[in-house]
């Protein structure tokens, strides 16, 4: 190293230390606040966290392919839950749920930072004086609001790409192969890496076709990671390829949008992102991208900067693909090919966080090298993007949004009171919920007829539908929602619509409940936990027993018993 290189490396190490401190600060809230912390509710508190606990309590972690979990829907197939070889499940086996959650967040974001930093330093931002771009873009990527149970499914893609590109260049060591071998144990095949591996496979094909470089070592690395994933996800593979009976997925109808609705959805996805892979790129990264593209047009740099241009086009194409996967023109083909309904191929857009932040880094380097003025502009963008992401910290965002804390959501003290009042073994009766997510009852050990799972027997869906048929007929929105998807197998009430979080200060009341209580009782149902009072309960076959509240709960529960 020359003196200049040593000086830049010292500065980079200091910057890395500051970034590491900021990352630690970002991760602190759940460790410091425990169950008083505020985290994502959608597809998290309302589902996955409860699933981990239910599976842990069931003793069926290593259950056979045909085993069931009796606590949910009188026997939810074990395969509806994740694989026993998933690292996140083992965190929930070894720690309390909130500690497991905090550790998972830490593991994911730390390796997201390391992966993006290594990728940029080795392949995309090599300039010594651009170390600030490497470090701060890597930190920004690690702070994005990813879907918690996805683990490294999207945030681990930079680390995998670093390994693959090193192997592709024939400059790899055991580190790259170890990375590709371990990543599958803390990520999901269907929620990120299937689509990533397809993209890497296409890159290998392009090398062979265009460059005449049929790199067998590169192909072997792709095959290795794919085989490991398929082995880990063997339950999913068996369920998809060798179904024993129709599941709720067989009635999925996903392609319902008209052409212009699809166009609008493509624009929304491109500009705003998606709830499971939020990038928060709109205020800073998107304008920076437009400036870079404007310079390319002005100075005719399309061919010179073809890597950036390729990423720019691919980013647009992925949003279009996502939106038009739901275009109604697909439906005839989906009806003929069941896999197109049961597997969500729209998720190729899960590659967008990787692409957007790679573009952010490369575009920043381009402007950085233009002039001192643009260098200052890039520095301002780097700081502003970190600030925006810190404002989106779950503890900040969800506290401001006034959503329940972990403790308030699951309300363990309150549900212990309900359990004591009922006074029977939980396995001896079945319950269902109105106005709150069934995951709350499941988390507290109750055996529920309702659930949120996107994979359960179709026969059960039809059986459960008899309970809510009259309510569905009164509200076409929830009828369509249940019949064409059904992932939320809930006690839908027409007056409540698709709302499941009526807090204890709610003034909502149900005036005209019309459930089939005979069907409810035939399935073993005895009690209903309602977050709102049911004024006509007696005439609908429900006897009000008692209401429950607790200072540490977000809910007021009205307990009803089927007559």
């Amino acid at each position: 190293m020359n003196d200049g290189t040593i000086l830049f490396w010292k500065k980079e190490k200091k910057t890395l230390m500051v970034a590491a401190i900021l990352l630690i600060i970002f991760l602190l809230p759940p460790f410091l606040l425990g169950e008083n912390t505020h985290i994502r509710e959608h597809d998290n508190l309302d589902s996955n966290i409860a699933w981990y606990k239910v599976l842990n309590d069931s003793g069926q972690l290593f259950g056979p392919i045909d085993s069931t979990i009796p606590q949910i829907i009188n026997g939810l197939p074990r395969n509806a839950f994740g694989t026993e070889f998933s690292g996140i499940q083992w965190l929930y086996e070894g720690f309390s749920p909130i500690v497991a959650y905090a550790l998972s967040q830490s593991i994911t974001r730390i390796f997201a930072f390391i992966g993006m930093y290594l990728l940029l330093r080795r392949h995309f931002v090599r300039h010594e004086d651009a170390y600030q771009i490497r470090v701060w873009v890597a930190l920004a990527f690690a702070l994005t609001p990813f879907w918690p149970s996805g683990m490294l499914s999207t945030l681990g893609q930079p680390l995998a790409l670093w390994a693959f590109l090193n192997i592709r260049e024939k400059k790899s060591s055991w580190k790259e192969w170890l990375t590709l071998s371990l990543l599958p144990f803390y990520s999901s095949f269907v929620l990120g890496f299937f689509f990533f591996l397809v993209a890497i496979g296409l890159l290998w094909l392009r090398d062979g076709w265009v460059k005449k470089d049929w790199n067998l070592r590169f192909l072997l690395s792709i095959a290795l990671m794919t085989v490991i994933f398929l082995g880990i996800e063997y339950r999913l593979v068996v369920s998809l390829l060798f179904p024993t009976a129709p599941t709720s997925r067989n009635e999925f109808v996903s392609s319902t949008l008209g052409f212009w609705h699809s166009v609008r959805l493509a624009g929304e996805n491109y500009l705003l992102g998606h709830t499971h892979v939020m990038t928060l790129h709109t205020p800073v990264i998107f304008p920076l991208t437009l400036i870079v593209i404007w310079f390319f047009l002005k100075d005719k740099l399309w061919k010179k900067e073809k890597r950036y241009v390729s990423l720019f086009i691919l980013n647009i194409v992925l949003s279009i693909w996502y939106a038009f996967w739901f275009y109604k023109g697909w439906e005839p083909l989906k009806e003929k090919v069941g896999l197109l309904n049961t597997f969500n191929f729209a998720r190729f857009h899960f590659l967008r966080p990787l692409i957007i932040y790679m573009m952010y880094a490369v575009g920043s380097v381009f402007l950085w090298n233009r002039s001192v003025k643009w260098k200052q502009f890039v520095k301002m963008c780097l700081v502003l993007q970190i600030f925006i992401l810190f404002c989106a910290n779950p503890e900040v965002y969800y506290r401001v949004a006034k959503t329940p804390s972990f403790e308030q959501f699951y309300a363990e003290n309150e549900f212990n009171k309900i359990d004591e009042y009922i006074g029977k073994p939980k396995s001896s009766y079945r319950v269902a919920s109105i106005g709150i997510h069934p995951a709350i009852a499941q988390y507290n050990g109750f055996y529920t007829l309702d659930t949120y799972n996107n994979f359960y027997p179709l026969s059960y869906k039809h059986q459960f539908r008899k309970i809510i048929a009259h309510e569905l007929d009164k509200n076409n929105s929830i009828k369509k929602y249940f019949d064409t998807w059904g992932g939320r197998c809930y006690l839908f009430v027409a007056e409540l619509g698709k709302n499941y979080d009526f807090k204890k200060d709610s003034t909502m009341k149900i005036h005209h409940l019309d459930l089939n209580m005979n069907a409810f009782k035939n399935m073993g149902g005895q009690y209903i936990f309602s977050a709102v009072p049911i004024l006509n309960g007696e005439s609908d076959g429900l006897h009000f027993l008692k209401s429950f509240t607790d200072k540490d709960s977000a809910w007021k529960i009205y307990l009803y018993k089927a007559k």
Side-chain angles (χ1 to χ4, degrees), residues 16 183 218 248 330 409 464 482 507:
L16 283 168
L183 267 174
F218 185 22
S248 56
W330 278 100
F409 186 85
F464 188 88
F482 183 81
T507 58

Side-chain angles (χ1 to χ4, degrees), residues 147-250:
W147 177 50
S149 292
M151 302 168 284
L152 286 165
S153 301
T154 52
L155 293 197
Q157 290 176 12
L159 187 58
L161 184 58
W162 164 81
F164 278 126
L165 292 181
N166 290 353
I167 293 170
R168 180 186 181 226
E169 293 179 355
K170 302 179 176 67
K171 297 178 180 179
S172 63
S173 67
W174 61 270
K175 297 175 185 177
E176 286 79 1
W177 293 91
L178 181 64
T179 296
L180 297 180
S181 299
L182 293 181
L183 267 174
F185 291 94
Y186 213 77
S187 55
S188 167
F189 190 53
V190 298
L191 296 173
F193 267 96
F194 168 82
F195 311 99
F196 177 82
L197 287 167
V198 168
I200 295 297
L202 291 174
L203 177 62
W204 178 81
L205 283 174
R206 176 191 173 277
D207 286 347
W209 185 263
V210 176
K211 298 181 179 181
K212 307 302 179 185
D213 181 14
W214 300 99
N215 189 330
L216 293 181
R217 193 176 181 84
F218 185 22
L219 178 62
L220 180 62
S221 67
I222 299 170
L224 172 68
M225 194 176 203
T226 303
V227 168
I228 293 174
F229 261 119
L230 292 177
I232 290 171
E233 300 280 4
Y234 75 98
R235 292 181 183 275
L236 177 66
V237 173
V238 171
S239 298
L240 285 175
L241 298 183
F242 308 104
T244 56
T247 71
S248 56
R249 287 181 169 271
N250 290 90

Side-chain angles (χ1 to χ4, degrees), residues 137 143 546 556-557:
V137 171
L143 300 183
K546 187 180 179 182
K556 181 175 183 179
I557 302 300

